[in-house]
Amino acid sequence: MTYNITVLDGDGIGPEICEGAVTVLRAVGKKFGHEFIITHMPIGGRAIDEEGTPLPEKTLKSCLASDSVLLGAVGGPKWDNLSGDARPEAGLLAIRKEMGLFTNIRPAKLWKNLAETSPLKSELVKGGVEITIVRELTGGIYFGRREKGFDEEGREFASDTEKYTREEIERVAKVACELAMKKKKKIISVDKANVLESSRLWRRVVHEYVSENFPEIDVEDMFIDNCAMQIVKNPARFDVVLTSNIFGDILSDEAAEVTGSIGMLASSSLGETKRGLYEPIHGSAPDIAGKDEANPIATILAAGMMLRDSFSLTAEHAAIEAAVQKVLDDGYRTADIMSEGMKKIGCKKMYGLIAHNIER
Ligand code: NAD
């Protein structure tokens, strides 16, 4: 099969880590007989320098015409004095909006042999942790009606509104179900239904949608406060977590922290179609850019998620994860995940070894 992928390298370490992901995709192509046609396009600071805007028209056109999109990271001190829509990050917000991406998926996986990077006690994480947060991305309180001013009694006030429609809940539930079907067929749906009307609708719609469309999936409800506690108390009990925009924002950072390193975590944003935007969760790390010190694994895992979730290539996704695990088992570490007795290597060596393990 042939797949068209637009790669948005971005700024800082972006080009180095994307080169890593492309190298690994080529290895997957060779091993499994696929052709990945890669088109590089500018976004963020580089696009501002070259085209005068963080999201040039040609970049958007290429993304919308491809089967999926891989992003490095944007931003850096050079563009820090720009404001609002002129900033590199504005390119990211614009591309998510233009691609109609309403779900964010963030797996937080603690890899075998990397347990020392978790701040949790080893007995809590030794069995492995893999929490995938499916977060609604374009609704809820971040996009609801806002008000500020003074009330009738002259008191200053501000308010934000949490509002969800049935359709918004159903479409994100669908994404969570499709993912759960490829995993353990179990979803924990997180809300605050003991207090919030919007959460009561969330809970009812999730159950109705799942029992009608994916009856084989088991849904467990959990209150947000309990979930925040359980993630640090018993992280191994989680698999797919489905939740709203604000709860997902908080829980995904908490879950990421449980696994320790920012250089190991990927994320994807999806919409109605199979075309998604896949990226590492970290930024452009200007402090280590160009030094061959960046950990490329987060971006390589993002490319792996693309194979599974956009192209339904589950064996190829598994091959990438196994190749990453092998490199870790062999004791190789980039500086950010280095520990005593391990072999410290740079970005290029790391992705070279992962690609080699896939082709073997
Ligand atoms: P950052 O994630 O870039 O870096 C934080 C720390 O983590 C740094 O010490 C960095 O060296 C390290 N780090 C990050 N990724 C790493 C990797 N792959 N391997 C090894 N070490 C890694 O966050 P920041 O310093 O707050 O932001 C730097 C720039 O990135 C800013 O301009 C910010 O706006 C931008 N940013 C972009 C995105 C994005 O593109 N999605 C996300 C966050 C921040």
Side-chain angles (χ1 to χ4, degrees), residues 202-220:
W202 179 279
R203 188 174 281 210
R204 182 158 55 80
V205 171
V206 167
H207 280 275
E208 285 170 6
Y209 179 81
V210 175
S211 64
E212 221 167 89
N213 299 281
F214 294 88
E216 56 277 75
I217 292 179
D218 175 36
V219 181
E220 179 189 346

Side-chain angles (χ1 to χ4, degrees), residues 4 25 48 85 145 219 234 242 264 299 329 344:
N4 286 295
L25 282 173
I48 293 170
D85 287 353
R145 196 162 54 87
V219 181
N234 187 7
L242 166 64
M264 299 289 297
T299 318
D329 292 347
K344 190 167 156 193

Side-chain angles (χ1 to χ4, degrees), residues 12-202:
I13 60 170
E16 303 163 54
I17 54 179
C18 283
E19 193 185 321
V22 168
T23 303
V24 167
L25 282 173
R26 298 235 183 277
V28 170
K30 223 165 152 185
K31 169 99 177 175
F32 291 88
H34 305 300
E35 191 186 358
F36 297 109
I37 300 173
I38 308 288
T39 309
H40 291 270
M41 283 286 161
I43 193 168
R46 200 187 121 201
I48 293 170
D49 291 350
E50 288 175 7
E51 312 276 336
T53 167
L55 181 63
E57 197 56 39
K58 65 175 187 186
T59 298
L60 178 60
K61 249 174 124 173
S62 174
C63 292
L64 295 177
S66 30
D67 296 314
S68 216
V69 181
L70 181 74
L71 171 82
V74 301
K78 184 176 176 195
W79 305 280
D80 271 352
N81 293 329
L82 299 173
S83 58
D85 287 353
R87 289 182 65 83
E89 293 80 3
L92 268 190
L93 296 180
I95 188 80
R96 289 191 183 123
K97 182 162 174 268
E98 296 290 340
M99 287 176 70
L101 307 170
F102 55 76
T103 306
N104 180 254
I105 301 180
R106 242 214 226 181
K109 176 167 171 170
L110 182 63
W111 295 77
K112 194 157 66 68
N113 289 334
L114 267 193
E116 71 276 6
T117 58
S118 174
L120 297 186
K121 285 188 199 137
S122 63
E123 65 256 36
L124 290 178
V125 295
K126 65 171 184 277
V129 175
E130 190 170 350
I131 307 172
T132 304
I133 312 263
V134 179
R135 164 189 171 193
E136 199 289 324
L137 201 57
T138 56
I141 198 163
Y142 292 173
F143 293 89
R145 196 162 54 87
R146 299 182 204 296
E147 260 187 281
K148 62 178 182 177
F150 291 85
D151 67 13
E152 309 80 61
E153 274 115 61
R155 291 172 304 195
E156 190 169 15
F157 79 98
S159 70
D160 303 275
T161 315
E162 171 90 347
K163 177 182 170 186
Y164 270 111
T165 63
R166 170 175 285 275
E167 290 67 29
E168 283 173 318
I169 301 167
E170 282 180 348
R171 65 185 189 176
V172 68
K174 177 170 184 268
V175 176
C177 286
E178 284 169 354
L179 186 65
M181 290 301 287
K182 293 175 199 153
K183 294 165 72 72
K184 295 182 185 158
K185 298 192 178 137
K186 189 169 166 30
I187 292 175
I188 292 182
S189 175
V190 177
D191 60 40
K192 188 70 184 169
N194 49 346
V195 179
L196 301 175
E197 207 54 68
S198 53
S199 277
R200 287 193 270 275
L201 179 72
W202 179 279

Side-chain angles (χ1 to χ4, degrees), residues 13 17 71-77 79-80 87-89 92 96 261-264 279-288 293-299 334-336:
I13 60 170
I17 54 179
L71 171 82
V74 301
W79 305 280
D80 271 352
R87 289 182 65 83
E89 293 80 3
L92 268 190
R96 289 191 183 123
S261 174
I262 198 172
M264 299 289 297
E279 57 187 310
I281 72 160
H282 59 72
S284 60
D287 52 332
I288 55 167
E293 283 177 20
N295 184 348
I297 294 179
T299 318
T334 43
D336 58 313

Side-chain angles (χ1 to χ4, degrees), residues 269-286:
S269 301
L270 296 171
E272 294 288 357
T273 68
K274 286 269 170 202
R275 188 195 310 116
L277 179 70
Y278 296 82
E279 57 187 310
I281 72 160
H282 59 72
S284 60

Side-chain angles (χ1 to χ4, degrees), residues 224-294:
I224 172 67
D225 38 351
N226 184 29
C227 183
M229 187 174 69
Q230 295 295 332
I231 284 179
V232 287
K233 214 173 139 194
N234 187 7
R237 71 171 292 194
F238 292 91
D239 186 35
V240 175
V241 173
L242 166 64
T243 193
S244 63
N245 202 343
I246 186 169
F247 295 159
D249 189 8
I250 299 162
L251 291 179
S252 55
D253 271 15
E254 188 194 10
E257 189 55 34
V258 164
T259 66
S261 174
I262 198 172
M264 299 289 297
L265 297 170
S267 127
S268 71
S269 301
L270 296 171
E272 294 288 357
T273 68
K274 286 269 170 202
R275 188 195 310 116
L277 179 70
Y278 296 82
E279 57 187 310
I281 72 160
H282 59 72
S284 60
D287 52 332
I288 55 167
K291 294 183 180 166
D292 193 35
E293 283 177 20

